[in-house]
Each structure stands twice: as C-alpha cells, then as structure tokens.
Amino acid sequence: MAKTKSEFVCRNCGASYPQWGGQCLECKTWNTLEEVFKSTLSKSEILQGLPSSKVQKLSEIKSESKPRLTTGLSELDRTLGGGLVDGSVVLIGGDPGIGKSTLILQAMAAINKEHTALYVSGEESAQQVSDRAVRLGITEDVLLLNETHLEKIIKLAKQIKPKVIVIDSIQTMMTDGSSSAPGSVTQVRDCAAQLTQYAKQTNTILFLIGHVTKGGALAGPRILEHMVDCVLYFEGDAGGRYRIIRAVKNRFGAVNEISVFAMGKTGLQQVENPSAIFLSNQSKPLPGSMVMVTREATRPLMIELQALVDQSNGNPKRVCVGLDQNRLALQLAILHKHGGIATFDQDVFVNIVGGIKVNETASDLVVMLTISSSLRNKIIPKDWIAFGEVGLTGEVRPVYNAVERLAEAQKHGFKVAIIPKANTPKKPIKGIKVIPVEYLYQALQYMAENN
Ligand code: TYD
Ligand code: MG
C-alpha cells in the first residue's frame, strides 16, 4: 500500500526539509518553504513498476546521430548545439519582459513552415499573442491554445500531434494531480514532469518558458533544471537593446554557448558578429575601465569592465554586476596581499557593460587592474586589453585559447595586451605588444610606469 508522506520544499531553490522552517538554509530566503506530499511506495511496488533491464556493452550500443530541426534563427540553433533534437525538452528562463515569448513565437513561425507547432499560452490571451504576431510580421498559422489546465493540453496534443509544443509559462499551468496553487513547487514540478513524459513518449519537442526571480534563479524549484535536456537563460538588461541567450545546461551541445539578439521594432534580430557590441565606445578614456577578451564556449568576445572605488562611510560595500560576488572578496584580498593595494575603507563596485555575465576566472586580472585604476585615479589607455587568472599566491595563471583572444583584440585595433607569461604566443602577433606577466605586481607595475 502506498503511504503519503510530506516534506517541505523551498519554492526558490528546491531544497527539501523534513520540517517547516521560516528560512531556507540553502538559499537563505524567508517564507519560501511549502508542504509537499510525496507518495512512498514500498520496495516491491517500485520494483514492479520498473522495466526489466539488461546489461549491455558500450560498444554494442549503436550510436544514432539524431537529425536536428532548425528554429529559423541560426544563432539560437548554435546555442542549442546545432538545432533541436526530437523529443528534447528545452527550458527558457529570463526576467519578465526580456523577450522570451517574442523569441519563441519567432522560432515557432519558422518551424511551422514544415511542421505543426502548438503554442500554449497561459499568460496572455489569444488576442495578445496574435497582436504580437502581427507586430512581428508573422504570417504563418501557428496553432494557438489559451489554456492552463494540463490534462486538457495533453489531451488536445494527443489529437493534434504537433511536432513542437511551447508552454508559456510553466508557472501558470496546473494539474489535477496536485491541489496547491499554480506556480507552487508541486504544481510546477508535476506539470513539467507530465509534459516531459509526454514529450519523451511521443518524440515531441517541448519548450518550457519559465520566469526568473530577482535573485536570478528560476522561480519554482531547481528540480526543473534536472528534468529537462537543455536550459537557456536570457541575460542583458530589459531596458537595453541587446539580449544574450546562454545555454547553462545542454545534453546535446556545449554549455556556456551564447547567442546575441537585438530587440527592435520587429522583434529580436540576430547579431551574427557580436564581438565588439559590448564596448562602451566612450570618446575619452576614464579611470576604472578596461577591456578584456572572454571566450564563452566557442567564440571570443570583447567586453568592457568598469570599477568604481570610493571612500566608504562605515561598512564598506562590495558589489558585483555580471561577475561572481564571492570572487571579488578573494580578488581584493589578493590585491592587498600581493599588490599592496588596500581597499578595507573603500566601497568597491564592479560592473560589466551591456548586462552580459562572465563566469570565467580569466577576468581576475582585469578586475584587479580596473580597481587599481579607479582607486588611484589613473587612466588605462583605451587600446590596452588584459586577461588572466590570478591565484591566491599572486601568480598570474594561463587561460585557454590565448592566441585566439589576442587575434580578436588585434582585429579590433588593440595595441597592448597584458597576459599570463605562460600564454605568450610563440609567434609575435602583428600590431600587438604583448606584456607577459608572471605575478600580479608585475602587471600593476607596468600600468604604473606606462600611463
Ligand atoms: P516578451 O516577449 O513579451 O517578454 P517575456 O515573454 O520575456 O516576458 O517581450 C516583451 C518586451 O519586448 C516588451 O517590453 C516589448 C518588447 N518588444 C519590442 O521591443 N519589439 C517587438 O517587436 C516586440 C514583439 C516586443
Ligand atoms: Mg511572455
């Protein structure tokens, strides 16, 4: 006999606890724990339900290269690892108003040229979706369904048999199997599980659109990320022109692959060569700004970092936008210990222009140089770039694909590159003076002597 047992799951991060508490110990948010009933089957019941399994040799399993379905947006295809795979489930997260519905509607219109696409909107009325389609100049007849009841959606899908289904958004869906409110952990999890099961059984491609909380996590449990094959996140500020889409999980391609779109009057336009769009193009160089070359998955990107260091009144603030906040504390400690630059009485703000996020540690050196530049009010010349990871002992460590990064910088007319010594290119790169540094103090010294 199945017993029902309850646990308490955090709405924000999905952590579960045997007892209720005011605060989630994992993500530290308050009032997010809610009761979830789970059915606990006995061992024999579980075994009965499982398919019989057999042991196979890896070499005996035939690898099948799955055909990819294009979304009509080559940049999105690239982020997906070359297009959509049959039966795959893609989760798209992002702030409200960033362009999730717009992007997917554009993709659906392209897919609908050859296959049937079903767009299920639980958020907007059919009229609103149609207005958007008119605005986007979409003439394709994408099938539209205004529904939030999951069982009805699946029943209809079984009749229509669409190739692609979009659920906009997963937080608005509700299933009979769960009694809690739409958007709650149980509802989101159960709906996503049923939809995923449908997609896998029928080889349908499924897009789940999800909202993101202020903290950047997907509202609803993290469990969603584990259930799906691919997770794409929108970055960039909703007020700005550019939108970045990053694959943070992909069972069929590289993670951290990004594509860039520009939001215009007629929807999202692909930016095929985004390398220099994140530079601020100031006419006059100012202290606290420097360019670095990152390499996200398969492509180099020039980005501008800005730092502001100012006398603190009381508790010094450390704020990072687009970078890892914890890493800033580490960088400031290294800067003090190995560069002789103290910031304990200063507020430190670091920002990446354009709302893009940088995850790689190659940004360490630039962060430290811009902080020093702002603190000392010294300009870093506009045609300088830097990259490199800085270790706890003050050593500058090599990064991947240095030559490719340098070539990108050369293409954009940069003249001086402060880089890790171990990354010194074998052949000189025309037009770029490479300054190899082994320790942080050497980079700071070069900066002090040459500007
Ligand atoms: P939307 O796709 O509705 O965002 P989401 O589904 O992520 O909440 O996009 C909404 C924003 O995009 C809205 O602020 C208006 C803007 N927009 C344009 O600038 N141009 C367009 O052609 C469209 C359709 C939307
Ligand atoms: Mg929307």
Side-chain angles (χ1 to χ4, degrees), residues 123-179:
E123 234 158 58
E124 294 163 304
S125 66
Q127 189 61 49
Q128 280 171 310
V129 180
S130 144
D131 285 351
R132 180 184 290 123
V134 170
R135 214 169 140 188
L136 296 172
I138 289 172
T139 50
E140 302 303 324
D141 265 331
V142 176
L143 297 177
L144 189 65
L145 175 64
N146 212 203
E147 185 59 75
T148 56
H149 189 190
L150 191 82
E151 279 72 19
K152 280 189 198 156
I153 296 170
I154 292 185
K155 198 173 153 207
L156 267 166
K158 280 182 179 159
Q159 287 167 11
I160 307 169
K161 298 192 176 64
K163 178 84 178 162
V164 186
I165 302 182
V166 177
I167 304 290
D168 188 1
S169 65
I170 187 70
Q171 276 105 352
T172 57
M173 296 296 137
M174 46 183 208
T175 163
D176 291 339
S178 164
S179 56

Side-chain angles (χ1 to χ4, degrees), residues 95-102 119 123-124 132 168-169 209 211:
D95 292 330
I98 199 141
K100 301 181 291 296
S101 306
T102 307
Y119 189 106
E123 234 158 58
E124 294 163 304
R132 180 184 290 123
D168 188 1
S169 65
I209 297 183
H211 296 300

